Amino acid sequence: MFSARLAATADWPFEKVVAMLRERAAVHGLLAIGSTGSKKRNDSSDIDLVIIVEPGRGVPRLALSVIDGVVADLLFVQVDALKCWPEPVGVQSWPAETLGRWLRSGRILFDRSGLLAEAQDRALLRSELPGVDGAGRYSTWFSINYNLIQNRRMASSADPVYAMALELRLLYCLN
């Protein structure tokens, strides 16, 4: 049976996690998205953080964690995908529409070399949405089904951390 342990960052303030990530050489940038990146964040919000990392094998696409007692979605983007956005860069890159939405609405927390700000400027200048192609259809499907898939996965686990995360996710789905 799969079991999750509480993250080491579970009791850390968000600012401490950001400071720790800034010190990692493999981390090129941090972008707060969703309510984390806006002034709409409240006590029932989760944390959504895009982490720009060095390219390489074994880089996750996304991870679920706990920061400061709050469920955190960690979304990983390889720096090559950011440099080339909106052009696709390999199988592991996020669809251009998804990354563009994050760039347009996100708040930069850290940008080691200015690449994140450059990509954000390109996204803000780009008013038209890319055409609906295979990546666009996938992005739409992913957005619609992401919460359903995560909720089902957590519901099938006997782990109490996942039970708590599921309750929080169901509450914000109602919101």
Side-chain angles (χ1 to χ4, degrees):
M1 173 59 94
F2 177 76
S3 177
R5 291 177 300 158
L6 205 52
T9 58
D11 295 326
W12 291 12
F14 181 66
E15 295 76 20
K16 181 176 179 179
V17 173
V18 169
M20 184 266 307
L21 288 169
R22 289 173 64 125
E23 294 175 6
R24 303 284 190 247
V27 175
H28 287 259
L30 301 169
L31 182 71
I33 61 171
S35 61
T36 309
S38 71
K39 295 181 181 177
K40 296 178 183 176
R41 188 156 193 262
N42 59 46
D43 292 341
S44 63
S45 298
D46 69 341
I47 293 172
D48 298 300
L49 184 63
V50 177
I51 304 171
I52 311 302
V53 295
E54 284 286 328
R57 293 178 49 176
V59 173
R61 187 176 171 101
L62 60 99
L64 183 67
S65 190
V66 178
I67 298 172
D68 201 13
V70 177
V71 174
D73 291 315
L74 307 176
L75 306 151
F76 295 86
V77 174
Q78 294 188 30
V79 73
D80 292 347
L82 190 66
K83 286 178 185 175
C84 297
W85 185 87
E87 299 301 320
V89 177
V91 177
Q92 284 293 340
S93 65
W94 290 92
E97 296 86 355
T98 302
L99 187 50
R101 188 175 60 248
W102 294 344
L103 288 166
R104 280 188 290 279
S105 65
R107 180 171 48 96
I108 296 174
L109 304 175
F110 172 63
D111 190 5
R112 185 178 310 281
S113 62
L115 287 173
L116 190 52
E118 289 173 14
Q120 189 173 57
D121 288 344
R122 286 194 313 272
L124 292 170
L125 290 173
R126 197 179 161 100
S127 59
E128 82 283 355
L129 295 174
V132 177
D133 57 4
R137 284 190 294 277
Y138 174 79
S139 177
T140 302
W141 174 89
F142 184 86
S143 297
I144 292 169
N145 290 293
Y146 176 78
N147 282 330
L148 176 62
I149 292 167
Q150 293 301 322
N151 290 349
R152 283 183 176 166
R153 181 178 61 82
M154 290 177 196
S156 68
S157 174
D159 193 295
V161 173
Y162 278 156
M164 177 192 74
L166 178 61
E167 287 182 31
L168 293 171
R169 292 178 68 82
L170 291 174
L171 284 173
Y172 82 70
C173 286
L174 291 175
N175 188 11

